[in-house]
Amino acid sequence: MYIGAIDIGGSKTIAGLVNENGELLIEKQIVTEKSDCAAHFNRCAALLLEAAAEYGAPAQALEGVGVSLPGMVDHSHSVLLLAPGAGWRDFPAAEFLREALGIRALWCENDVNNCARAELRFAGAPENFLWITVSTGIGGAVVADGRVLLGCNSLAGELGHCKVEFEHPLPCPCGSRGCLEAHASGAALSRRFARLLAEDPQAAALARERGASPDAAGCAALAQAGFSPARALFDRAGGYLGQALAPVVSMLNPERVYFGGGVARSLGLLLPRMRSALGARAAESCAGVEIRATGLGYEASLLGAAALFLEQAR
Ligand SMILES: [Zn+2]
């Protein structure tokens, strides 16, 4: 079975073919052009057809298509309600792509929800789990009894905009202050690390010596090398994450929490303080929830698009 999958991210867009076992057969990438939404969706359709042709599967061979979008999608998996990073709003994404591709069996969904679907369908996730993406921003998805929870306005899982800092709240891209995303995202870590490099000559010298980039990955490299000011930045972020997760795990009793996104590769640096915050704040019976990085890597959202198709086509 050939399933078309499209993952439109904040900076890049991937289209490819996936089979029913979640094996990625081919993928192609372009830059996400945010200035003209319809033009970009047309390019996505062309990219998918190009990938299919290159693999030797004509459009008629596709069973259907799933799409991951960087924003909120309505309950019918059709309309992109809002993609804040791209500035897109109320775009009939599914109908547009159905027309462009000539394929009716096509559905769209928020990318983080689709990551959770990929974990559920292709990677043996339990029936109750949370998925947290920590990259430039922070997003979340909730799977309860084997189903992705959408919430009344498709906003379930919006962990990134819970308030976690009240004494020195930083501005968040959402317009509010003190959000988890403003204090514990990859962008937040990068900002703090850049400041550390500017203010601490020892940090700057060590970063140069180790070729560490001035971002969250560079901060992780220094933290792993035992440089305590870099380690402290991860401790702080981990504490905020645990603080935000505590009421959620107490309420939902997930079996596992998966972390995805770039910062997930540094999960080991975030875990000690995350664990202690959970221990201090969550219900005792839920605080020991298993926490692990996803094994799906950067393809999680693309594979999740295929999982969405399989779920909807049932
Ligand atoms: Zn926010």
Side-chain angles (χ1 to χ4, degrees), residues 9-213:
S11 54
K12 65 173 194 273
T13 291
I14 311 173
L17 295 191
V18 176
N19 69 15
E20 68 275 24
N21 302 317
E23 287 157 350
L24 183 55
L25 305 173
I26 185 169
E27 63 176 305
K28 293 182 88 68
Q29 243 188 65
I30 51 173
V31 168
T32 301
E33 288 290 349
K34 298 170 191 162
S35 56
D36 184 338
C37 178
H40 186 66
F41 275 75
N42 265 325
R43 274 192 292 273
C44 291
L47 188 69
L48 177 61
L49 294 177
E50 216 178 286
E54 200 172 307
Y55 192 75
Q60 308 87 278
L62 299 186
E63 291 284 324
V65 178
V67 184
S68 290
L69 297 175
M72 291 145 55
V73 177
D74 76 329
H75 280 204
S76 68
H77 303 298
S78 299
V79 180
L80 174 62
L81 300 171
L82 178 66
W88 300 335
R89 180 185 290 273
D90 297 324
F91 182 70
E95 213 35 59
F96 189 95
L97 287 171
R98 284 175 189 138
E99 284 290 318
L101 289 163
I103 296 172
R104 298 308 301 167
L106 182 151
W107 294 276
C108 304
E109 172 64 297
N110 167 268
D111 48 8
V112 184
N113 283 348
N114 274 350
C115 287
R117 282 187 173 87
E119 205 73 59
L120 187 62
R121 182 168 283 265
F122 300 131
E127 295 250 292
N128 292 281
F129 69 91
L130 305 177
W131 169 288
I132 313 294
T133 295
V134 182
S135 56
T136 308
I138 294 181
V142 180
V143 174
D145 296 335
R147 294 182 62 83
V148 175
L149 285 188
L150 298 176
C152 69
N153 293 322
S154 303
L155 288 169
E158 274 296 324
L159 194 70
H161 302 285
C162 290
K163 306 297 175 280
V164 293
E165 175 56 55
F166 300 93
E167 280 182 30
H168 305 287
L170 294 173
C172 179
C174 75
S176 190
R177 297 178 77 86
C179 298
L180 180 64
E181 181 166 311
H183 290 271
S185 63
L189 274 164
S190 296
R191 268 195 310 273
R192 287 189 188 278
F193 185 54
R195 203 165 74 197
L196 177 68
L197 293 177
E199 291 172 356
D200 181 342
Q202 196 195 349
L206 193 61
R208 264 196 309 277
E209 185 189 311
R210 296 191 168 256
S213 47

Side-chain angles (χ1 to χ4, degrees), residues 189 193 196 218-224 227-235:
L189 274 164
F193 185 54
L196 177 68
C219 187
L222 260 58
Q224 260 139 9
F227 185 59
S228 54
R231 178 88 215 196
L233 297 185
F234 276 93
D235 279 345

